[in-house]
Amino acid sequence: MFTIFKVIISDFSILITASYLFSKLTKKGVNSELNFFKKIQFGIYSGITGILLLVFSIFFNNEFMIDLRLVPIVICSFWVGGISPFVASVIIGSGRYFYDFSDKGFRFFILYLLIGISQIFISHLFKEYSPAKRLFLIFATIQIPVILNFLSYLGNSWANWLLILASVSYNTIGIILNNQFLKDMEDRKVSYQKLEKASTIDYLTKIPNRFSFDSQLKKDLSEQESIILFLLDINNFKKINDLYGHATGDEVLIHFSAILNEHPQINSRIYRLGGDEFAILLPKRDLHASIEDFRFLIKSLIQENPYVEEGYELIPLSTSVGIGVSDVESNNGLLYISADKDLYHDKAQHKI
């Protein structure tokens, strides 16, 4: 009895550890779209887990083994699908055959091979079902052939049915535990990714924020990349807020950033620094015009695209643009100060 207890503890320790590592195989969600080689990797990992679980088996009369080797196949089919459960099944089936090199072992190898082939299609077939129903159906399509194989080999008796019931119950507990632990890991991963994204994206305009700007600027300068910093703000933005309200002011900020972000040369290189202040960071090698021509382009894009207020009233927009150009001795502060001074000068000209 103590031996059985040790095996159970070992099995569930393996499952918990396997779930943790399974989740760590990709930074994205395990159930996200994975390429072929990543699915192969998940299949190999699941197969190795199945082999470990096979080692920790509970034996009855040297004929029947109760273990959790089916659990990795079920989990792999449920979370990843495609080729993954096939790879896992082949590895586990091969491990079962090499365990005793018997006719029974070879029979199990063929069985697992067929299960793996079926799961390539079944994992896709049940994809639109609810998670609970899909998990149950995948488990059933894997467990039933194993039961039928056992009955055909050892016969249909009450003793054998009790062993089958014990095995199915044990695997059911293992699947529920493994799946729930993995789900918790994936939910935490998704939550972390959302928080990570929120910390780098401006909540209003949905473009990178000041934190992203500082990080990118530091990275570009550390690589001694010759870059050009354009600092922008919206002229007379306070008047827009006073005349139309802050809700319209927010819409103007969204419109302003979207117009610039849609330009192919600016796309993904524009940042909201705060308020109505924005920045564009461009590698000098990517600038296909003179710096002054690009400043004119930025201003033209804004002037030619006024914001249409809800009451169909046009709100004309314009922007001042300051420029800073990096050199070998530039740092974050010096480049920003240079661009800020030029912005002040450009804004002064606009007020004349």
Side-chain angles (χ1 to χ4, degrees), residues 79-306:
W79 282 91
V80 183
I83 194 68
S84 294
F86 172 76
V87 173
S89 298
V90 169
I91 292 173
I92 294 170
S94 300
R96 178 62 186 86
Y97 175 63
F98 290 127
Y99 186 80
D100 56 14
F101 289 101
S102 64
D103 291 339
K104 183 171 68 173
F106 182 72
R107 189 170 174 168
F108 269 103
F109 171 75
I110 298 300
L111 174 66
Y112 280 93
L113 182 64
L114 295 174
I115 287 173
I117 293 171
S118 69
Q119 287 306 307
I120 294 176
F121 306 100
I122 287 171
S123 61
H124 179 74
L125 183 65
F126 297 149
K127 203 169 186 179
E128 302 304 319
Y129 288 27
S130 67
K133 187 175 182 180
R134 186 158 58 92
L135 185 63
F136 170 78
L137 290 172
I138 288 172
F139 178 41
T141 56
I142 292 173
Q143 183 69 78
I144 289 173
V146 175
I147 293 173
L148 294 176
N149 177 70
F150 172 74
L151 291 175
S152 67
Y153 187 76
L154 291 178
N156 183 7
S157 67
W158 281 107
N160 288 340
W161 275 108
L162 286 174
L163 289 175
I164 289 171
L165 179 62
S167 179
V168 172
S169 300
Y170 192 45
N171 276 275
T172 300
I173 295 170
I175 288 168
I176 292 172
L177 175 69
N178 198 0
N179 185 65
Q180 187 59 48
F181 192 84
L182 184 56
K183 183 178 180 300
D184 290 344
M185 290 290 299
E186 289 299 293
D187 287 346
R188 290 188 181 188
K189 186 191 295 184
V190 171
S191 297
Y192 175 78
Q193 289 170 345
K194 286 181 179 178
L195 287 172
E196 188 177 43
K197 184 177 181 180
S199 70
T200 59
I201 300 296
D202 177 62
Y203 76 99
L204 179 65
T205 59
K206 309 305 179 191
I207 63 173
N209 61 12
R210 180 61 183 260
F211 177 79
S212 296
F213 168 78
D214 289 339
S215 299
Q216 186 63 48
L217 181 57
K218 185 177 180 180
K219 178 184 176 185
D220 288 344
L221 291 175
S222 68
E223 294 174 352
Q224 294 191 334
E225 177 82 63
S226 181
I227 56 174
I228 305 168
L229 167 62
F230 297 89
L231 279 185
L232 298 70
D233 69 11
I234 302 173
N235 294 324
N236 302 313
F237 183 68
K238 185 178 183 303
K239 287 185 179 180
I240 293 174
N241 276 331
D242 292 342
L243 285 172
Y244 300 98
H246 288 279
T248 298
D250 287 346
E251 292 300 321
V252 167
L253 291 171
I254 294 170
H255 174 77
F256 181 90
S257 60
I259 290 299
L260 294 173
N261 200 36
E262 287 171 2
H263 191 277
Q265 200 166 349
I266 300 175
N267 181 263
S268 300
R269 299 291 290 187
I270 182 171
Y271 306 82
R272 185 186 179 199
L273 303 185
D276 65 324
E277 188 175 15
F278 295 80
I280 297 172
L281 273 178
L282 288 177
K284 197 171 183 179
R285 54 180 165 76
D286 289 346
L287 195 65
H288 305 308
S290 71
I291 296 175
E292 285 301 324
D293 284 346
F294 200 80
R295 181 184 346 223
F296 178 77
L297 170 67
I298 293 171
K299 292 185 174 187
S300 298
L301 285 171
I302 298 305
Q303 289 174 345
E304 293 168 5
N305 292 279

